[in-house]
């Protein structure tokens, strides 16, 4: 998938093999030097020029393919706030609400990141990803891991502090590798996950373990899930996957042998696909493949040489 960089967004990055991925587009200047001042966020909420992104259970108001931002006056008191950054001279704050205000601002619909990311500008997609990721961290890290006391947010929502032992806790991101494996005939290995009823085929993936390099994680995960060894591991690109807090690191690799054995628990079937076989099976509806916003889809399409046929999802 090729997405145009938003001309208003932060400086273009040098993207590796996969190009700029839907959830990896830069949006705002996060202003790390500004947010450490605990007076910064309250001052923004007294400035009518501040723009606020409302979030309700991971959904944001979207209208005509763009996020609808509101002013500080539209934010109920006591709402969880996080400073998201500066864009085009405007300061942007996240307000994470428990319930959607009725009516929604600006005729918007409350939509999820996965549903709309590909159609948003790079600026809005970056803002939405940042908002969902930091909101998930706060929701899942309310207590001190050392002593169990409730922690409170400081530094404009980017650190939590324990009032008992004064330990600081920083937002967490879990790295996970995902890998497109080919064989000597340039066939692609895809696995059917038990979670998805066994007919949705995807690239192999897994979390990086403590004390492990990314390259070692690729070799270990492929060994565990498919029973083969791979070589020529090559980094292909990354994107955040804040459901709830992953960072997906994409690789390509080449299999030493084709005698794959699914682990039987996470992966219940493995198949080597030619391009013709993959295209035919998607069109006939006998298999599903990942959605366009995922890095798995980008890895598969990079191998395939262009967009996969639609529709990719099977009816349940
Ligand atoms: Zn503590």
């Amino acid at each position: 998938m090729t997405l145009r960089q938003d001309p208003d967004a932060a400086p273009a990055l040098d993207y590796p093999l996969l190009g700029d991925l839907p959830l990896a587009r830069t949006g705002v200047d996060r202003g790390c030097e500004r947010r450490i001042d605990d007076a910064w966020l309250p001052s923004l909420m007294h400035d009518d020029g501040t723009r606020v992104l409302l979030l309700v259970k991971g959904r944001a108001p979207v209208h005509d393919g763009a996020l609808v931002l509101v002013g500080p006056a539209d934010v109920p008191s006591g709402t969880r706030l996080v400073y998201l950054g500066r864009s085009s001279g405007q300061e942007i704050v996240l307000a994470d609400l428990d319930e959607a205000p009725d009516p929604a601002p600006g005729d918007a619909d409350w939509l999820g990141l996965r549903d709309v990311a590909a159609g948003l500008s790079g600026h809005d997609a970056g803002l939405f990803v940042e908002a969902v990721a930091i909101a998930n961290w706060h929701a899942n890290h309310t207590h001190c891991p050392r002593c169990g006391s409730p922690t409170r947010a400081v530094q404009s929502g980017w650190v939590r502090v324990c009032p008992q032992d004064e330990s600081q806790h920083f937002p967490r991101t879990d790295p996970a590798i995902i890998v497109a494996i080919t064989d000597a005939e340039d066939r692609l290995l895809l696995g059917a996950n038990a979670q998805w009823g066994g007919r949705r085929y995807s690239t192999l993936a897994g979390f990086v373990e403590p004390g492990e390099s990314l390259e070692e994680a690729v070799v270990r995960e492929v060994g565990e899930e498919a029973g083969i060894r791979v070589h020529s591991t090559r980094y292909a690109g990354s994107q955040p996957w804040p459901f709830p807090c992953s960072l997906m690191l994409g690789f390509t690799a080449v299999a030493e042998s084709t005698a794959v054995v699914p682990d039987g628990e996470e992966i219940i079937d493995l198949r080597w696909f030619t391009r013709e076989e993959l295209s035919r099976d998607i069109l006939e509806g006998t298999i599903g493949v990942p959605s366009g916003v995922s890095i798995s889809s980008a890895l598969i399409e990079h191998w395939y040489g262009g967009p996969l046929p639609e529709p990719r999802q099977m009816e349940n």
Side-chain angles (χ1 to χ4, degrees):
M1 173 179 291
T2 303
L3 290 163
R4 223 162 23 84
Q5 273 296 102
D6 189 326
D8 192 35
L13 304 175
D14 288 329
Y15 289 102
L17 210 59
L18 296 180
D20 52 336
L21 295 160
L23 300 186
R25 293 177 290 162
T26 47
V28 300
D29 162 16
R30 295 188 178 202
C32 306
E33 73 287 0
R34 295 186 290 279
R35 70 193 189 197
I36 57 175
D37 176 1
D38 279 328
W40 175 246
L41 188 53
S43 74
L44 294 182
M45 297 310 283
H46 289 101
D47 182 343
D48 289 343
T50 298
R51 298 291 86 198
V52 181
L53 173 59
L54 304 176
L55 197 68
V56 179
K57 297 179 174 66
R59 292 173 178 265
V62 178
H63 185 66
D64 273 350
L67 294 175
V68 176
L69 305 185
V70 301
D74 295 317
V75 179
S77 62
T79 303
R80 290 180 298 276
L81 302 173
V82 178
Y83 177 58
L84 293 177
R86 179 181 293 168
S87 169
S88 302
Q90 283 191 314
E91 306 294 353
I92 305 173
V93 171
L94 161 67
D96 190 18
L97 308 173
D98 291 324
E99 286 185 23
D102 187 22
D107 284 336
D109 295 312
W110 291 93
L111 299 176
L113 178 59
R114 269 178 282 203
D115 302 323
V116 297
L120 294 175
S121 68
H123 173 275
D124 280 7
L127 203 59
F128 202 164
V129 174
E130 182 185 359
V132 170
I134 193 71
N136 284 344
W137 176 66
H138 281 290
N140 294 321
H141 296 82
T142 54
H143 288 68
C144 176
R146 294 187 185 178
C147 74
S149 299
T151 52
R152 65 185 177 88
V154 296
Q155 296 194 18
S156 309
W158 287 90
V159 179
R160 295 186 72 93
V161 171
C162 173
Q164 292 299 321
D165 56 27
E166 297 182 342
S167 59
Q168 290 187 319
H169 306 282
F170 296 87
R172 165 178 162 175
T173 294
D174 295 342
I177 59 87
I178 182 160
V179 55
I181 301 160
T182 49
D183 69 1
E185 296 167 25
D186 201 26
R187 295 181 302 171
L188 182 69
L189 180 65
L190 297 177
N193 197 302
Q195 260 187 334
W196 297 92
R199 290 168 66 206
R200 180 178 181 276
Y201 285 77
S202 182
T203 47
L204 301 185
F207 287 108
V208 180
E209 294 191 344
E212 186 175 53
S213 71
L214 299 175
E215 294 78 3
E216 287 168 340
V218 169
V219 171
R220 177 184 53 77
E221 280 289 345
V222 174
E224 286 174 7
E225 293 185 356
I228 55 168
R229 288 191 60 82
V230 291
H231 62 84
S232 304
T233 301
R234 183 181 173 198
Y235 177 65
S238 72
Q239 74 171 355
W241 193 249
F243 313 108
C245 59
S246 298
L247 172 65
M248 304 304 299
L249 297 135
F251 289 84
T252 59
V254 178
E256 285 185 3
S257 65
T258 56
V260 288
V261 181
D263 65 19
E265 296 201 0
E266 195 172 344
I267 302 295
I268 58 175
D269 187 35
L270 287 161
R271 281 178 59 187
W272 292 100
F273 288 91
T274 65
R275 290 172 181 78
E276 292 72 25
E277 286 165 350
L278 185 64
S279 172
R280 180 199 64 209
D281 288 358
I282 293 172
L283 286 170
E284 290 180 353
T286 54
I287 67 164
V289 289
S291 77
V293 77
S294 67
I295 192 169
S296 181
S297 169
L299 282 164
I300 296 170
E301 290 192 335
H302 179 264
W303 164 83
Y304 188 73
L308 292 169
E310 298 284 351
R312 304 177 186 189
Q313 310 295 327
M314 296 181 311
E315 302 296 326
N316 284 329

